[in-house]
Amino acid sequence: RCSDILRQISRKEIEDDQFINIVKIEDLLEEIIISFKETSNVKISLISDEDKNKINIKRAPELVYGLRNFIGNAVKFSNKKVEVELKSDATSISIEITDDGPGFSEDIVKLLGEPYIRSKSNKTSKKTGLGLGSFLGKTLLERRGAKLNFLKANKLDGASVLISWKVVNLISNS
C-alpha cells in the first residue's frame, strides 16, 4: 500500500507553468507554514537569516508532501511553538524543523522513519499513528536527495527533524 501511495504522489505533475513550478525553498516553506497558521494556534516561525544560497528549485510533489508532513507533525506535537530554520551556502541546504512538545519517545527514536511503529509513551500516544506519514515523508524527501536526522531539540526542548541536501543533488533532481 505504501508503495502505491509513493508511486501516485511521484506521478502527480504540476502544470508546466514556470511561474508556479519554479520556487525558492524559502518561499515554498512560507507557503506551507501559512497553511498551518490558518488551521492552528501554534506560533510557527521561519528563520532564514543563514539562507545564503537562494537557489530556485522545481516545486516537486515529493518535496511539498515531505516538508508538509514534518512541519505538520511538529505543529501537532508542539505545545505553543514551532521553528523552521533554513540554512544554505554554496554546497548545502538544510531545514531544521523544531517543536516545543514532548520530544521523541525513547522507545521509538531509533525506528523513526520506519512504517508501523507506535510509541508506548503516555506523553505522545494519543497523537501518534503508525508512523506511515513520517515513513512516506522521509522516503519522498530521500528520493529528492535529502538526508534526514531525528534529534532531540536543543533550543525548544522538544523534537527536531534535520533535512539536508547537497545543492548539486537537489538541483539535479529538479
Side-chain angles (χ1 to χ4, degrees):
R1 174 142 169 73
C2 288
S3 293
D4 290 341
I5 292 169
L6 290 169
R7 259 191 306 282
Q8 287 174 356
I9 291 171
S10 294
R11 284 188 199 145
K12 289 183 182 176
E13 292 295 326
I14 296 173
E15 190 174 315
D16 196 20
D17 181 338
Q18 292 303 322
F19 181 73
I20 294 172
N21 207 19
I22 303 299
V23 66
K24 293 192 181 338
I25 292 180
E26 181 177 9
D27 295 335
L28 180 59
L29 289 170
E30 190 62 46
E31 285 176 29
I32 293 168
I33 289 169
I34 287 169
S35 72
F36 283 107
K37 283 181 177 179
E38 292 172 355
T39 59
S40 169
N41 293 326
V42 172
K43 181 180 182 215
I44 309 168
S45 304
L46 176 59
I47 303 162
S48 58
D49 302 346
E50 294 184 52
D51 181 18
K52 308 297 184 207
N53 186 7
K54 299 186 182 283
I55 63 167
N56 287 320
I57 60 164
K58 182 177 179 187
R59 180 192 311 265
E62 298 93 343
L63 287 175
V64 174
Y65 181 90
L67 293 170
R68 277 193 63 78
N69 174 75
F70 289 110
I71 293 171
N73 281 348
V75 168
K76 178 168 73 171
F77 287 98
S78 70
N79 292 318
K80 296 179 184 173
K81 187 173 184 180
V82 171
E83 290 182 354
V84 179
E85 187 170 12
L86 172 61
K87 295 180 181 178
S88 70
D89 58 29
T91 60
S92 65
I93 296 172
S94 68
I95 298 168
E96 187 169 4
I97 303 163
T98 306
D99 66 63
D100 65 349
F104 297 121
S105 299
E106 290 298 319
D107 62 334
I108 63 162
V109 73
K110 289 186 168 94
L111 301 172
L112 290 168
E114 296 297 320
Y116 305 110
I117 60 171
R118 188 170 188 105
S119 174
K120 292 175 178 58
S121 168
N122 290 334
K123 290 182 190 177
T124 60
S125 63
K126 290 181 176 72
K127 295 182 180 181
T128 61
L130 296 173
L132 295 177
S134 293
F135 167 72
L136 291 171
K138 179 178 181 276
T139 301
L140 290 168
L141 289 170
E142 286 174 342
R143 282 186 176 183
R144 303 294 301 172
K147 297 211 181 306
L148 281 82
N149 292 305
F150 299 93
L151 313 162
K152 168 82 174 122
N154 291 327
K155 291 189 278 184
L156 298 179
D157 290 330
S160 182
V161 177
L162 179 63
I163 307 163
S164 57
W165 295 266
K166 290 182 180 177
V167 170
V168 67
N169 290 347
L170 189 56
I171 293 172
S172 67
N173 281 327
S174 293

